[in-house]
Amino acid sequence: MNIGLFGGTFDPIHRGHLALARAAMERCSLGRVHFVPVGKHPLKGSQPLATYFDRYAMVALATQEEKTFVPSLLEAPELDSSQKSGKASKERTPNFSIDTVRKLKQTLKKNDRLFFLVGIDAFKDIAKWHEPVALLRECTFIVASRPGFSLADVANSLPEKLRPSLAVTKPFQRQPAKGDLVLPGVTIHLLDSVNQAVSATAIRQAVAAKRPLGKLVDSKVEQYIKKRRLYGKQIG
Ligand code: ATP
Protein backbone atom coordinates (compact mmCIF):
# COMPACT_ATOMS: atom_id res chain seq x y z
CA MET A 1 0.00 0.00 0.00
CA ASN A 2 1.11 3.58 -0.58
CA ILE A 3 1.24 5.42 2.73
CA GLY A 4 1.53 9.17 3.31
CA LEU A 5 3.21 10.91 6.20
CA PHE A 6 2.14 14.53 6.69
CA GLY A 7 3.90 16.41 9.46
CA GLY A 8 3.02 19.92 10.56
CA THR A 9 2.67 22.20 13.51
CA PHE A 10 -1.09 22.10 12.93
CA ASP A 11 -1.63 25.11 15.19
CA PRO A 12 -4.45 24.69 14.18
CA ILE A 13 -5.05 22.18 11.35
CA HIS A 14 -6.97 23.92 8.56
CA ARG A 15 -8.59 23.53 5.14
CA GLY A 16 -5.25 23.93 3.32
CA HIS A 17 -3.76 20.93 5.14
CA LEU A 18 -6.77 18.74 4.35
CA ALA A 19 -6.77 19.84 0.70
CA LEU A 20 -3.08 18.96 0.40
CA ALA A 21 -3.65 15.50 1.87
CA ARG A 22 -6.64 14.84 -0.40
CA ALA A 23 -4.74 15.95 -3.52
CA ALA A 24 -1.74 13.79 -2.56
CA MET A 25 -3.99 10.82 -1.90
CA GLU A 26 -5.54 11.10 -5.32
CA ARG A 27 -2.28 11.73 -7.18
CA CYS A 28 -0.30 8.85 -5.64
CA SER A 29 -3.17 6.48 -4.72
CA LEU A 30 -2.37 6.67 -1.02
CA GLY A 31 -4.30 4.15 1.06
CA ARG A 32 -3.60 5.99 4.30
CA VAL A 33 -2.22 9.38 5.39
CA HIS A 34 -0.70 9.77 8.85
CA PHE A 35 -1.08 13.32 10.18
CA VAL A 36 1.82 13.89 12.57
CA PRO A 37 1.62 16.99 14.78
CA VAL A 38 5.19 18.07 15.37
CA GLY A 39 6.52 17.60 18.90
CA LYS A 40 9.26 20.21 18.84
CA HIS A 41 10.00 21.84 15.50
CA PRO A 42 13.75 21.87 14.78
CA LEU A 43 13.66 25.00 12.59
CA LYS A 44 10.67 27.21 13.41
CA GLY A 45 11.91 29.90 15.80
CA SER A 46 8.62 30.55 17.59
CA GLN A 47 6.99 27.66 19.39
CA PRO A 48 3.33 26.72 18.79
CA LEU A 49 0.76 28.62 20.82
CA ALA A 50 -1.36 25.56 21.52
CA THR A 51 0.06 22.60 23.43
CA TYR A 52 0.93 19.34 21.68
CA PHE A 53 -2.21 17.79 23.18
CA ASP A 54 -4.54 20.51 21.88
CA ARG A 55 -2.95 20.35 18.43
CA TYR A 56 -3.29 16.56 18.38
CA ALA A 57 -6.95 16.80 19.49
CA MET A 58 -7.70 19.23 16.66
CA VAL A 59 -6.02 16.91 14.14
CA ALA A 60 -8.11 14.01 15.47
CA LEU A 61 -11.32 16.04 15.12
CA ALA A 62 -10.52 17.32 11.62
CA THR A 63 -9.66 13.85 10.31
CA GLN A 64 -12.49 12.03 12.09
CA GLU A 65 -14.71 11.57 9.06
CA GLU A 66 -12.02 10.50 6.58
CA LYS A 67 -11.43 6.76 6.93
CA THR A 68 -7.95 7.00 5.42
CA PHE A 69 -6.71 9.99 7.49
CA VAL A 70 -5.01 8.84 10.68
CA PRO A 71 -4.05 11.16 13.56
CA SER A 72 -0.58 10.08 14.62
CA LEU A 73 1.18 10.19 17.98
CA LEU A 74 4.61 9.54 16.46
CA GLU A 75 6.04 12.75 17.91
CA ALA A 76 4.10 12.73 21.18
CA PRO A 77 6.15 13.93 24.12
CA GLU A 78 6.95 11.43 26.85
CA LEU A 79 4.98 12.47 29.89
CA ASP A 80 7.39 12.97 32.74
CA SER A 81 6.26 13.59 36.30
CA SER A 82 6.67 17.38 36.03
CA GLN A 83 4.33 17.52 33.01
CA LYS A 84 1.75 15.29 34.71
CA SER A 85 1.70 17.59 37.72
CA GLY A 86 1.38 20.65 35.46
CA LYS A 87 4.78 22.09 36.33
CA ALA A 88 7.06 23.48 33.65
CA SER A 89 8.19 20.73 31.33
CA LYS A 90 11.82 19.99 30.61
CA GLU A 91 13.28 21.45 27.42
CA ARG A 92 12.42 19.00 24.62
CA THR A 93 14.83 17.84 22.00
CA PRO A 94 13.68 18.65 18.47
CA ASN A 95 11.87 16.05 16.37
CA PHE A 96 13.68 15.44 13.10
CA SER A 97 11.63 14.20 10.14
CA ILE A 98 14.18 11.51 9.32
CA ASP A 99 13.65 9.94 12.77
CA THR A 100 9.85 10.11 12.43
CA VAL A 101 10.03 8.54 8.96
CA ARG A 102 12.22 5.70 10.23
CA LYS A 103 9.89 5.15 13.19
CA LEU A 104 6.85 4.94 10.93
CA LYS A 105 8.69 2.66 8.48
CA GLN A 106 9.27 0.14 11.28
CA THR A 107 5.49 -0.34 11.48
CA LEU A 108 4.92 -0.76 7.73
CA LYS A 109 4.66 -3.94 5.69
CA LYS A 110 7.36 -5.04 3.26
CA ASN A 111 5.44 -3.90 0.18
CA ASP A 112 4.31 -0.57 1.61
CA ARG A 113 5.79 2.58 0.06
CA LEU A 114 6.17 5.76 2.05
CA PHE A 115 5.40 9.23 0.67
CA PHE A 116 6.30 12.43 2.51
CA LEU A 117 3.77 15.24 2.11
CA VAL A 118 4.91 18.85 2.40
CA GLY A 119 4.04 22.35 1.18
CA ILE A 120 6.53 24.18 -0.99
CA ASP A 121 7.11 26.82 1.71
CA ALA A 122 8.50 24.17 4.01
CA PHE A 123 10.25 22.26 1.20
CA LYS A 124 12.26 25.38 0.25
CA ASP A 125 14.31 24.83 3.43
CA ILE A 126 14.86 21.09 2.95
CA ALA A 127 18.64 21.50 2.60
CA LYS A 128 18.69 22.82 6.20
CA TRP A 129 16.80 19.82 7.61
CA HIS A 130 18.58 17.08 9.52
CA GLU A 131 20.06 14.45 7.15
CA PRO A 132 18.14 15.76 4.11
CA VAL A 133 19.83 13.42 1.62
CA ALA A 134 18.90 10.35 3.66
CA LEU A 135 15.34 11.66 4.07
CA LEU A 136 14.90 12.25 0.34
CA ARG A 137 16.13 8.72 -0.31
CA GLU A 138 13.97 7.10 2.39
CA CYS A 139 10.68 8.24 0.85
CA THR A 140 9.11 9.80 -2.20
CA PHE A 141 8.19 13.44 -1.75
CA ILE A 142 4.86 14.99 -2.67
CA VAL A 143 5.19 18.76 -2.66
CA ALA A 144 2.21 21.12 -2.90
CA SER A 145 3.40 23.93 -5.10
CA ARG A 146 2.07 27.45 -5.45
CA PRO A 147 1.65 29.77 -8.41
CA GLY A 148 4.92 31.62 -9.00
CA PHE A 149 7.20 28.69 -8.13
CA SER A 150 9.17 27.09 -10.95
CA LEU A 151 10.61 23.60 -11.32
CA ALA A 152 14.03 25.26 -10.97
CA ASP A 153 13.03 26.60 -7.52
CA VAL A 154 12.22 23.05 -6.46
CA ALA A 155 15.43 21.54 -7.90
CA ASN A 156 17.60 24.34 -6.48
CA SER A 157 16.17 23.77 -2.98
CA LEU A 158 17.67 20.30 -2.87
CA PRO A 159 20.72 19.61 -0.73
CA GLU A 160 23.95 20.17 -2.66
CA LYS A 161 24.66 16.46 -3.08
CA LEU A 162 21.39 15.91 -4.95
CA ARG A 163 21.06 19.33 -6.59
CA PRO A 164 21.42 19.21 -10.38
CA SER A 165 23.88 21.60 -12.02
CA LEU A 166 22.72 25.03 -13.20
CA ALA A 167 23.03 23.82 -16.79
CA VAL A 168 20.44 21.15 -16.02
CA THR A 169 18.06 23.41 -14.08
CA LYS A 170 18.24 26.39 -16.47
CA PRO A 171 15.48 25.08 -18.76
CA PHE A 172 13.37 24.41 -15.61
CA GLN A 173 13.25 28.14 -14.87
CA ARG A 174 10.35 28.76 -17.19
CA GLN A 175 8.48 25.61 -16.21
CA PRO A 176 5.90 25.93 -13.43
CA ALA A 177 6.38 23.61 -10.46
CA LYS A 178 4.08 20.81 -11.55
CA GLY A 179 4.35 17.26 -12.82
CA ASP A 180 7.19 15.05 -11.58
CA LEU A 181 10.80 15.90 -10.93
CA VAL A 182 12.85 12.75 -11.30
CA LEU A 183 16.55 13.04 -10.53
CA PRO A 184 19.08 10.36 -9.65
CA GLY A 185 18.04 9.06 -6.24
CA VAL A 186 15.09 11.44 -5.76
CA THR A 187 11.53 11.57 -7.03
CA ILE A 188 9.33 14.55 -6.28
CA HIS A 189 5.69 14.69 -7.30
CA LEU A 190 4.42 18.25 -7.52
CA LEU A 191 0.81 19.11 -6.84
CA ASP A 192 -0.37 22.32 -8.46
CA SER A 193 -4.05 21.91 -7.64
CA VAL A 194 -4.10 22.67 -3.91
CA ASN A 195 -4.10 26.49 -4.01
CA GLN A 196 -5.79 27.24 -0.71
CA ALA A 197 -5.03 30.73 0.50
CA VAL A 198 -5.15 29.89 4.19
CA SER A 199 -2.56 29.65 6.94
CA ALA A 200 -2.63 28.79 10.61
CA THR A 201 -1.25 32.28 11.33
CA ALA A 202 -4.27 33.89 9.63
CA ILE A 203 -6.60 31.65 11.65
CA ARG A 204 -4.95 32.51 14.97
CA GLN A 205 -5.20 36.19 14.04
CA ALA A 206 -8.88 35.83 13.12
CA VAL A 207 -9.63 34.11 16.45
CA ALA A 208 -7.77 36.82 18.39
CA ALA A 209 -9.69 39.52 16.50
CA LYS A 210 -12.98 37.59 17.05
CA ARG A 211 -13.54 37.34 13.31
CA PRO A 212 -15.61 34.37 12.02
CA LEU A 213 -13.57 31.46 10.69
CA GLY A 214 -16.09 30.43 8.05
CA LYS A 215 -14.85 27.36 6.23
CA LEU A 216 -11.15 27.88 7.01
CA VAL A 217 -11.28 25.15 9.64
CA ASP A 218 -13.53 22.15 10.26
CA SER A 219 -16.52 23.16 12.40
CA LYS A 220 -15.50 20.64 15.10
CA VAL A 221 -12.07 22.29 15.25
CA GLU A 222 -13.71 25.71 15.56
CA GLN A 223 -15.83 24.46 18.48
CA TYR A 224 -12.73 23.00 20.11
CA ILE A 225 -10.84 26.31 19.75
CA LYS A 226 -13.77 28.07 21.45
CA LYS A 227 -14.13 25.53 24.27
CA ARG A 228 -10.42 25.53 25.04
CA ARG A 229 -10.19 29.32 24.49
CA LEU A 230 -7.19 28.90 22.22
CA TYR A 231 -5.50 31.80 20.43
CA GLY A 232 -7.67 34.34 22.27
CA LYS A 233 -5.02 36.74 23.41
CA GLN A 234 -1.80 36.31 21.51
CA ILE A 235 -1.45 36.90 17.83
CA GLY A 236 1.36 35.15 16.04
P1 ATP B 1 1.80 28.89 10.21
O1 ATP B 1 0.92 29.92 9.55
O2 ATP B 1 1.67 28.85 11.70
O3 ATP B 1 3.25 28.97 9.76
P2 ATP B 1 0.88 26.78 8.38
O4 ATP B 1 -0.49 27.19 7.99
O5 ATP B 1 1.98 26.95 7.36
O6 ATP B 1 1.29 27.43 9.79
P3 ATP B 1 1.94 24.21 9.25
O7 ATP B 1 1.30 23.31 10.24
O8 ATP B 1 3.18 24.91 9.64
O9 ATP B 1 0.79 25.27 8.81
O10 ATP B 1 2.14 23.44 7.87
C1 ATP B 1 2.26 22.04 7.75
C2 ATP B 1 2.50 21.75 6.29
O11 ATP B 1 1.38 22.14 5.49
C3 ATP B 1 3.72 22.47 5.68
O12 ATP B 1 4.37 21.56 4.83
C4 ATP B 1 3.10 23.62 4.91
O13 ATP B 1 3.91 24.03 3.81
C5 ATP B 1 1.79 23.01 4.43
N1 ATP B 1 0.73 24.01 4.25
C6 ATP B 1 0.28 24.90 5.16
N2 ATP B 1 -0.71 25.65 4.65
C7 ATP B 1 -0.92 25.22 3.40
C8 ATP B 1 -1.83 25.61 2.33
N3 ATP B 1 -2.71 26.59 2.48
N4 ATP B 1 -1.74 24.93 1.16
C9 ATP B 1 -0.84 23.94 0.98
N5 ATP B 1 0.04 23.54 1.94
C10 ATP B 1 0.00 24.16 3.12
Side-chain angles (χ1 to χ4, degrees), residues 6-17 19-20 38 41 44 116-123 129 144-146 194-204 236:
F6 186 21
T9 313
F10 301 135
D11 188 23
I13 185 166
H14 55 66
R15 189 179 71 184
H17 298 131
L20 191 163
V38 70
H41 204 294
K44 267 195 182 175
F116 192 95
L117 281 49
V118 65
I120 201 155
D121 304 63
F123 184 80
W129 295 16
S145 80
R146 288 253 200 98
V194 180
N195 289 335
Q196 299 276 340
V198 49
S199 69
T201 306
I203 290 161
R204 295 193 298 272

Side-chain angles (χ1 to χ4, degrees), residues 203-225:
I203 290 161
R204 295 193 298 272
Q205 287 171 342
V207 174
K210 300 191 166 40
R211 287 197 303 271
L213 297 184
K215 293 205 159 66
L216 296 180
V217 296
D218 183 282
S219 58
K220 292 190 278 307
V221 172
E222 184 170 8
Q223 283 307 316
Y224 186 88
I225 291 172

Side-chain angles (χ1 to χ4, degrees), residues 27-47:
R27 171 74 168 274
C28 295
S29 309
L30 306 180
R32 200 158 71 223
V33 177
H34 294 264
F35 284 70
V36 186
V38 70
K40 182 168 166 39
H41 204 294
L43 289 180
K44 267 195 182 175
S46 56
Q47 288 308 307

Side-chain angles (χ1 to χ4, degrees), residues 38-77:
V38 70
K40 182 168 166 39
H41 204 294
L43 289 180
K44 267 195 182 175
S46 56
Q47 288 308 307
L49 291 183
T51 63
Y52 175 86
F53 302 101
D54 280 330
R55 290 181 291 116
Y56 175 81
M58 290 188 279
V59 166
L61 288 170
T63 55
Q64 201 180 344
E65 264 143 47
E66 302 259 4
K67 256 206 313 228
T68 49
F69 288 177
V70 185
S72 166
L73 289 162
L74 274 171
E75 296 190 5

